[in-house]
Amino acid sequence: MRIAELSRRTGVPVPTIKFYLREGLLPAGELTSPNQARYGDVHLHRLRLVRALVEVGGLSIAAVRDVLGALDDPDKSLHKAMGTAEAAVMAADATSDDEVARAQAREFAERQGWRCHPESDAFQSLVAVLATAREVGLDSFPGQLDGYAHAALGLARQDLAYALTAPTKDAAMEIVVVGSVLGDKALAAVRRLARRELSQRLDRGERSGQETDPDC
Amino acid sequence: MRIAELSRRTGVPVPTIKFYLREGLLPAGELTSPNQARYGDVHLHRLRLVRALVEVGGLSIAAVRDVLGALDDPDKSLHKAMGTAEAAVMAADATSDDEVARAQAREFAERQGWRCHPESDAFQSLVAVLATAREVGLDSFPGQLDGYAHAALGLARQDLAYALTAPTKDAAMEIVVVGSVLGDKALAAVRRLARRELSQRLDRGERSGQETDPDC
């Protein structure tokens, strides 16, 4: 396909595609004349991935280059490349040097039998959350994490199964990145809807005989 | 207790407590002399809640006043007050007028048998997430939501049970607010840890015989 069709099928404007080509984020097309090139499915998948990394993941061009480098490295498994992408997208937004919170996070991971290195960004985020809970005196909060782990493992299984339905490595990576960023937001929204629904059911039980409240 | 002890037990500085008293966010103490007052457990719980709303929830003083008003209104159930608090803390950070995404969100809620009013902030967030997924061409994303709903209901049950362990309405609200904000962050972190753990197990399966990778 021509660059115009590549643009139409991905929604990425032609000047942006040319910029990605110059930056090496997209491999050159096959030249069919000195100033025309042809692009294939490889370009389509890669362009969708780049778009997801930039627009949904909010990555810089340099970070996108790192992620693509990991993906194209034959010594790295898809799992490793996914880890690079997730780390880039989900850089720790907060850290804490609260040693009690760190110990709580470590005990939690050990209780689950999770052996991941405790210096990952996700682990740091968890330490920061536990430190905030401690600061505001919600000492019982760490006890909630085991239930979160149970739910999270179910979701992780679903996430991986979903990524593995993708036809190519690029497409799998796109699902991981988009699913990771959008998935967190979707889960927060769905969790709130679920809580309102459940809470409303209890409320109806408390005050049975009343009309259902359309505002919940 | 004196104001100094109230400060010590909550970590809120005395001048801040005085500010909350002037703003009516904290009821006046019992005067024991013209310029000394005594405070009790009611003040302790209320001050912890105000602190959680301001410091964790990021609410303005006016918004805190609304939440406390709902909590203290005898015509409102605890459920209603929780709804006010959640709405204040979780104001929709994004909206979208994508009608296809709105229809997807509505179909999802109907599939679950959730009857909450579709104009809630949580519903709007979900529409915005689905609109982004559509924009980047991840058309299969809405299919992931049913699994999210299953996990979210389990978590909602846990959240409510946790809030109901609180000794007072104020303490229950504090758990709802802190749990809602910190819970989202903790869940995002735990979900990532779970995904890495699961993904690493698969990776070990793929390349059995190799050493476990300490960095996951």
Side-chain angles (χ1 to χ4, degrees), chain B residues 15-32:
Chain B
T16 306
I17 297 177
K18 288 185 173 168
F19 170 71
Y20 292 158
L21 285 164
R22 281 198 305 277
E23 290 287 326
L25 302 184
L26 203 61
E30 184 197 342
L31 279 184
T32 54

Side-chain angles (χ1 to χ4, degrees), chain A residues 1-14 16-17 20 26 40-52 55 174, chain B residues 134-138:
Chain A
M1 73 193 90
R2 300 282 171 221
I3 197 167
E5 190 184 345
L6 193 60
S7 168
R8 193 180 52 72
R9 288 180 63 181
T10 55
V12 179
V14 169
T16 306
I17 297 177
Y20 291 158
L26 203 61
D41 281 350
V42 169
H43 299 89
L44 195 66
H45 284 297
R46 178 57 49 111
L47 187 52
R48 284 206 174 120
L49 175 57
V50 170
R51 191 187 170 183
E55 293 187 17
E174 188 195 341
Chain B
R134 268 168 49 73
E135 269 164 37
V136 299
L138 200 68

Side-chain angles (χ1 to χ4, degrees), chain A residues 53-72:
Chain A
L53 289 166
V54 172
E55 293 187 17
V56 181
L59 261 61
S60 68
I61 296 301
V64 172
R65 194 175 284 119
D66 286 348
V67 171
L68 297 178
L71 184 60
D72 294 336

Side-chain angles (χ1 to χ4, degrees), chain B residues 85-191:
Chain B
E86 281 216 341
V89 170
M90 290 289 179
D93 49 6
T95 55
S96 167
D97 52 9
D98 181 332
E99 285 305 321
V100 176
R102 183 168 303 276
Q104 287 172 340
R106 207 174 287 129
E107 281 160 24
F108 158 72
E110 278 168 18
R111 267 199 314 276
Q112 308 303 321
W114 291 356
R115 281 167 293 179
C116 283
H117 198 284
E119 297 315 313
S120 72
D121 282 336
F123 188 87
Q124 300 294 349
S125 292
L126 185 60
V127 172
V129 171
L130 289 168
T132 307
R134 268 168 49 73
E135 269 164 37
V136 299
L138 200 68
D139 296 332
S140 50
F141 187 75
Q144 296 301 295
L145 294 182
D146 295 325
Y148 285 13
H150 177 77
L153 266 181
L155 288 168
R157 272 191 206 101
Q158 174 183 328
D159 287 342
L160 280 178
Y162 180 35
L164 295 177
T165 62
T168 64
K169 265 190 168 188
D170 274 29
M173 285 282 280
E174 188 195 339
I175 288 180
V176 167
V177 170
V178 175
S180 183
V181 177
L182 291 187
D184 280 351
K185 288 185 188 165
L187 187 57
V190 169
R191 191 172 157 230

Side-chain angles (χ1 to χ4, degrees), chain A:
Chain A
M1 73 193 90
R2 300 282 171 221
I3 197 167
E5 190 184 345
L6 193 60
S7 168
R8 193 180 52 72
R9 288 180 63 181
T10 55
V12 179
V14 169
T16 306
I17 297 177
K18 287 185 174 168
F19 170 70
Y20 291 158
L21 285 164
R22 281 198 305 276
E23 289 287 326
L25 303 185
L26 203 61
E30 183 197 344
L31 279 183
T32 53
S33 79
N35 51 12
Q36 271 208 327
R38 192 156 46 198
Y39 301 91
D41 281 350
V42 169
H43 299 89
L44 195 66
H45 284 297
R46 178 57 49 111
L47 187 52
R48 284 206 174 120
L49 175 57
V50 170
R51 191 187 170 183
L53 289 166
V54 172
E55 293 187 17
V56 181
L59 261 61
S60 68
I61 296 301
V64 172
R65 194 175 284 119
D66 286 348
V67 171
L68 297 178
L71 184 60
D72 294 336
D73 181 346
D75 289 342
K76 286 203 173 183
S77 64
L78 178 60
H79 158 74
K80 280 274 183 203
M82 284 180 181
T84 305
E86 280 216 340
V89 169
M90 292 287 179
D93 48 4
T95 55
S96 167
D97 54 8
D98 181 332
E99 285 305 322
V100 176
R102 182 168 304 275
Q104 287 172 340
R106 205 175 289 127
E107 281 159 23
F108 158 72
E110 277 167 18
R111 268 201 312 276
Q112 307 304 320
W114 291 356
R115 280 167 293 180
C116 284
H117 197 283
E119 298 315 310
S120 72
D121 283 335
F123 188 87
Q124 299 294 349
S125 292
L126 185 59
V127 172
V129 170
L130 289 168
T132 306
R134 267 169 49 74
E135 270 164 38
V136 299
L138 200 69
D139 296 333
S140 49
F141 189 75
Q144 297 300 296
L145 293 181
D146 295 324
Y148 286 14
H150 177 78
L153 266 181
L155 289 168
R157 275 194 202 98
Q158 173 183 327
D159 288 342
L160 280 177
Y162 180 37
L164 295 176
T165 63
T168 65
K169 265 190 169 189
D170 275 28
M173 285 282 279
E174 188 195 341
I175 287 179
V176 167
V177 170
V178 176
S180 183
V181 177
L182 292 188
D184 279 351
K185 288 184 189 168
L187 187 57
V190 169
R191 191 174 156 229
R192 227 138 60 233
L193 289 173
R195 188 143 57 178
R196 290 192 118 191
E197 177 68 24
L198 199 65
S199 176
Q200 195 190 19
R201 281 183 210 162
L202 292 175
D203 207 42
R204 275 202 299 270
E206 274 175 26
R207 305 177 304 161
S208 59
Q210 290 196 18
E211 282 293 295
T212 299
D213 177 355
D215 286 331
C216 299

Side-chain angles (χ1 to χ4, degrees), chain A residues 113-116, chain B residues 193-201 204:
Chain A
W114 291 356
R115 280 167 293 180
C116 284
Chain B
L193 288 173
R195 187 142 60 180
R196 291 193 118 188
E197 177 67 25
L198 200 65
S199 175
Q200 194 190 19
R201 282 185 210 160
R204 275 202 298 270

